[in-house]
Amino acid sequence: MTQALTVQNLTAHYGTTKVLEDLSLSVGSGELVSLLGASGCGKTTTLRLVAGFLQPTSGKITLGGKDLTRLPAYKRDIGLVFQNYALFPHLSVLDNVGFGLKQRGVASAEREKRARAMLERVGLSQLADRLPGALSGGQKQRVALARALVIEPPLLMFDEPLSNLDAKMRVDMRVEIRQLQRANGTTSVYVTHDQEEAFSISDRVAIMNAGRIMQLDTPETLYQRPANAFVARFVGFENLVPLKVTKRDGASVTAQTRDGSQLALSQDRFGEIPDDFVLAARADGLAVTTDAKAEGIPATLGLRTYLGRAYQYQCETAAGTLVANGALSMPQEPGSGAKLVPVPDQCCVLKPE
Amino acid sequence: MMTTRINPLLILFTILVYIFLTGPLIIVLGASVSDTTYLTFPPQGLTLRWFENIFEISAFRRTIVTSLELAILATGLALLIGIPAAYALNRYRIQLPTWLSTVFVLPILVPEIVLGFSLLKSVAVGASAPIFATLLIGHTLLVLPYCVRVISASLASFDFSIEEAAISLGSRPLKTFFTIVLPNVRSGVIAAFILAFITSINDVSTSLFLTGPGISTLPIQILAHVEQFFDPTIASVSVLLMFLTVAVMAIVERTLGLTFLAK
């Protein structure tokens, strides 16, 4: 019995500091949405507000149509998985998993049966009688997951659940989390600062900054079509070049860099281009060419690094230092002049900040 | 196999420390069984009559009971105040001003004799409270800082997200405190209990001002006794006090401590 979560116009303060501003978010039934951002962006605050550990200044939180906003945390029925596992140190693994059932008045025999079945699912049935202190990090997080899932919560929330695990464990665990979440069809909110982690397990990702959601979309859209400069930088668009349109002729547009060099771009290939815009490109999105007739951003090539599939150059341009890739067949010497030509499929046209 | 040579000087110091620590205990023990009418060490002869003598002097009988009652009640009260205080100080550490936790050490910084005197003026004389009540207030104040400090230290390493985990699983906050928080700081509570109990039962400076007609504590009675007599009774009382303290510690350890260790 999984349910949709909606967060409407949520604003929150710590003292007088505004940490969340008019945040709205909806997570569909059975969907996994990640909140992604650097520390202090408000992602954990959002989670804690939904969990009921913090009270919003204004706004509304509903789960399956039921208003949670003023409901105390212990009545919200939300499964939580914490970064530091937060297992009860004085209780056995079995009692840890059974804790939520006990609070719901499930009889002891039934409780043990269900807790054992859940431990079986996370592959820890042989450790049921251990104390949490005797488990490894990965095992602890599995117990925490089992403890949250066994109460069959309508909503499951993760707060940086893999941050304390080593790299390999992180990858294994996120696959496991995703499989369990899919199998149960539990609506989930997943907080992380790790882009790869968020993109790999989420249906949709909300990229957050300074208490706002900058963009909420599928990982594919975020990665290829960021909606603004912040998201573009966040997903690895190293080059953001401000441009102005000087001439329009049907679909073809001539734009000018700050130093006056002209650039012809086709709206058929780059999408609609406003008069003032920012061209966002990863290193692959700017091709280094020495062809004098090519229309591109004039640059002086600096440091060259070898990437295996291409050479990468630090390029000095009027728009600042840009990073561009050049073909392996034509290595260029540092100090030589070249042009950086935008590659249509690899670039994005954004509104200026 | 590598052998480490221990510096002989180190061994000497260790032995000296042991002598300094156990010496007084041995002397008191020896003096308490001496078959003489004055305090002496090494004991001459061997007798238990000084222990019998304690119970023949009614003042000792009464003060032993008073001291025990006082120590148990004061420690209990201090824990009742100290546990929630320590919890609040740690749970809301970020929100609370830092000086707040310092307030709870102030009674340690003030000389106990001043504490006793000011309580005499304000509570005993000022509010004309009964002697036992005044003593209880004094001892509670005296041991409260130890309770707050020791339990705070224990709570400082407690991860409060454990508490949140329990709440998210449907446990009410108050119930969570008793089923989740308290069992995890039990060792701190036991340590606080023992420390507070010993402090209370051995206290002279604060009690000196607060005892009055008919009601006194054992250490004050020892003091009064020494002023008039110099027989080994006080040595035997001291031994009794020592064993009493050890017994309480053992009981607390057994009832609360071992179940925790066995888990």
Side-chain angles (χ1 to χ4, degrees):
Chain A
M1 52 148 225
T2 176
Q3 290 162 346
L5 169 78
T6 60
V7 170
Q8 292 163 28
N9 311 101
L10 213 57
T11 300
H13 292 78
Y14 278 134
T16 51
T17 325
K18 191 179 270 184
V19 284
L20 219 58
E21 200 175 341
D22 203 26
L23 182 130
S24 295
L25 169 74
S26 67
V27 183
S29 180
E31 191 183 27
L32 193 156
V33 169
S34 284
L35 306 179
L36 174 64
S39 60
C41 71
K43 56 190 193 299
T44 298
T45 304
T46 309
L47 179 134
R48 294 177 63 78
L49 283 163
V50 175
F53 297 134
L54 294 175
Q55 283 299 316
T57 321
S58 62
K60 192 176 172 190
I61 301 161
T62 63
L63 183 60
K66 196 171 103 184
D67 189 353
L68 294 187
T69 320
R70 300 288 156 198
L71 206 64
Y74 69 92
K75 283 186 181 165
R76 293 198 182 188
D77 234 9
I78 293 171
L80 273 175
V81 178
F82 295 81
Q83 175 175 0
N84 41 12
Y85 324 121
L87 298 179
F88 310 128
H90 61 299
L91 298 179
S92 71
V93 165
L94 190 69
D95 288 341
N96 262 279
V97 177
F99 187 86
L101 297 173
K102 195 175 176 183
Q103 307 311 313
R104 281 158 182 75
V106 177
S108 131
E110 169 71 8
R111 193 162 77 216
E112 187 176 332
K113 202 183 98 196
R114 281 165 67 181
R116 280 196 191 279
M118 189 45 80
L119 279 173
E120 185 85 40
R121 283 188 67 189
V122 296
L124 288 180
S125 38
Q126 75 285 2
L127 299 178
D129 301 320
R130 297 262 185 96
L131 282 180
L135 305 183
S136 72
Q139 289 169 337
K140 281 182 189 169
Q141 204 52 291
R142 282 198 181 85
V143 175
L145 195 58
R147 183 179 66 177
L149 278 172
V150 79
I151 61 171
E152 292 169 11
L155 175 67
L156 195 55
M157 296 203 293
F158 300 87
D159 187 9
E160 306 250 6
L162 308 179
S163 296
N164 288 357
L165 301 177
D166 62 55
K168 169 145 187 0
M169 201 64 200
R170 267 208 286 271
V171 176
D172 293 350
M173 272 305 287
R174 79 183 185 213
V175 171
E176 218 166 300
I177 286 177
R178 181 60 161 160
Q179 279 168 344
L180 274 169
Q181 186 266 338
R182 270 272 172 83
N184 287 22
T186 313
T187 310
S188 300
V189 174
Y190 191 104
V191 164
T192 180
H193 65 270
D194 185 327
Q195 191 185 131
E196 186 190 312
E197 196 175 303
F199 280 21
S200 65
I201 74 166
S202 309
D203 293 307
R204 286 188 301 153
V205 176
I207 294 181
M208 292 186 65
N209 180 42
R212 297 158 181 272
I213 291 178
M214 304 307 288
Q215 191 178 356
L216 173 58
D217 251 315
T218 62
E220 291 84 349
T221 309
L222 285 170
Y223 194 77
Q224 288 154 15
R225 295 270 162 248
N228 50 57
F230 179 84
V231 175
R233 256 191 295 268
F234 197 91
V235 298
F237 284 78
E238 293 111 324
N239 307 303
L240 295 176
V241 186
L243 291 164
K244 265 194 173 62
V245 173
T246 51
K247 209 173 84 192
R248 289 180 186 274
D249 180 15
S252 68
V253 164
T254 306
Q256 193 176 18
T257 59
R258 282 211 188 108
D259 67 334
S261 52
Q262 305 286 315
L263 212 56
L265 302 168
S266 160
Q267 293 198 99
D268 292 339
R269 307 195 64 190
F270 284 94
E272 198 186 320
I273 299 172
D275 282 350
D276 252 313
F277 69 102
V278 173
L279 186 76
R282 292 194 175 86
D284 274 331
L286 292 178
V288 174
T289 175
T290 47
D291 180 0
K293 281 178 289 179
E295 287 210 45
I297 304 159
T300 309
L301 300 183
L303 183 70
R304 184 181 78 201
T305 51
Y306 177 62
L307 297 184
R309 60 193 162 84
Y311 283 117
Q312 187 160 91
Y313 301 90
Q314 303 292 316
C315 314
E316 291 305 326
T317 71
T321 306
L322 302 180
V323 188
N325 288 352
L328 285 176
S329 54
M330 288 188 296
Q332 305 295 325
E333 287 312 307
S336 59
K339 278 188 175 157
L340 311 179
V341 182
V343 182
D345 298 334
Q346 310 270 1
C347 291
C348 282
V349 171
L350 305 172
K351 287 195 199 77
E353 282 174 275
Chain B
M1 187 69 186
M2 231 176 63
T3 50
T4 324
R5 234 180 71 85
I6 302 168
N7 192 325
L9 213 59
L10 207 61
I11 297 170
L12 180 74
F13 275 113
T14 312
I15 292 168
L16 277 177
V17 167
Y18 274 106
I19 290 172
F20 276 122
L21 284 177
T22 55
L25 299 181
I26 291 164
I27 290 171
V28 171
L29 249 171
S32 72
V33 293
S34 178
D35 196 7
T36 50
T37 52
Y38 49 90
L39 274 172
T40 180
F41 186 85
Q44 291 160 18
L46 199 67
T47 180
L48 285 177
R49 71 184 157 106
W50 301 117
F51 283 92
E52 287 167 24
N53 197 34
I54 303 171
F55 297 100
E56 268 154 34
I57 302 170
S58 64
F60 277 125
R61 281 205 309 268
R62 269 187 284 113
T63 52
I64 287 173
V65 175
T66 310
S67 271
L68 273 177
E69 284 174 350
L70 203 55
I72 291 168
L73 284 175
T75 304
L77 267 177
L79 285 176
L80 272 181
I81 303 166
I83 294 174
Y87 172 81
L89 283 175
N90 283 278
R91 180 74 177 82
Y92 306 105
R93 198 178 329 170
I94 305 155
Q95 289 100 311
L96 292 173
T98 42
W99 55 262
L100 206 60
S101 62
T102 320
V103 170
F104 284 92
V105 240
L106 285 181
I108 298 181
L109 300 179
V110 177
E112 284 174 28
I113 210 151
V114 176
L115 178 68
F117 181 68
S118 53
L119 278 171
L120 173 75
K121 280 205 73 176
S122 57
V123 183
V125 180
S128 58
I131 296 168
F132 189 80
T134 320
L135 271 170
L136 188 56
I137 294 170
H139 278 227
T140 306
L141 274 178
L142 186 69
V143 301
L144 183 60
Y146 297 103
C147 292
V148 173
R149 275 279 135 170
V150 173
I151 296 164
S152 271
S154 198
L155 276 167
S157 57
F158 180 75
D159 175 7
F160 284 97
S161 59
I162 291 169
E163 191 189 23
E164 291 183 344
I167 291 171
S168 78
L169 289 165
S171 176
R172 282 167 182 275
L174 190 66
K175 186 181 171 196
T176 305
F177 178 78
F178 286 107
T179 57
I180 299 297
V181 182
L182 215 46
N184 283 301
V185 295
R186 193 178 338 199
S187 54
V189 175
I190 293 166
F193 184 96
I194 292 171
L195 201 60
F197 188 88
I198 293 172
T199 307
S200 166
I201 210 158
N202 288 323
D203 176 71
V204 174
S205 332
T206 308
S207 312
L208 200 56
F209 288 97
L210 306 177
T211 50
I215 296 185
S216 188
T217 65
L218 187 55
I220 301 295
Q221 175 57 30
I222 293 174
L223 203 62
H225 191 81
V226 176
E227 281 172 353
Q228 295 170 35
F229 308 97
F230 199 59
D231 62 21
T233 310
I234 52 145
S236 54
V237 171
S238 307
V239 171
L240 194 70
L241 194 58
M242 257 155 56
F243 280 113
L244 215 63
T245 313
V246 171
V248 169
M249 280 166 61
I251 290 167
V252 170
E253 266 298 325
R254 293 241 154 216
T255 50
L256 291 167
L258 289 181
T259 46
F260 180 66
L261 291 175
K263 276 259 180 184

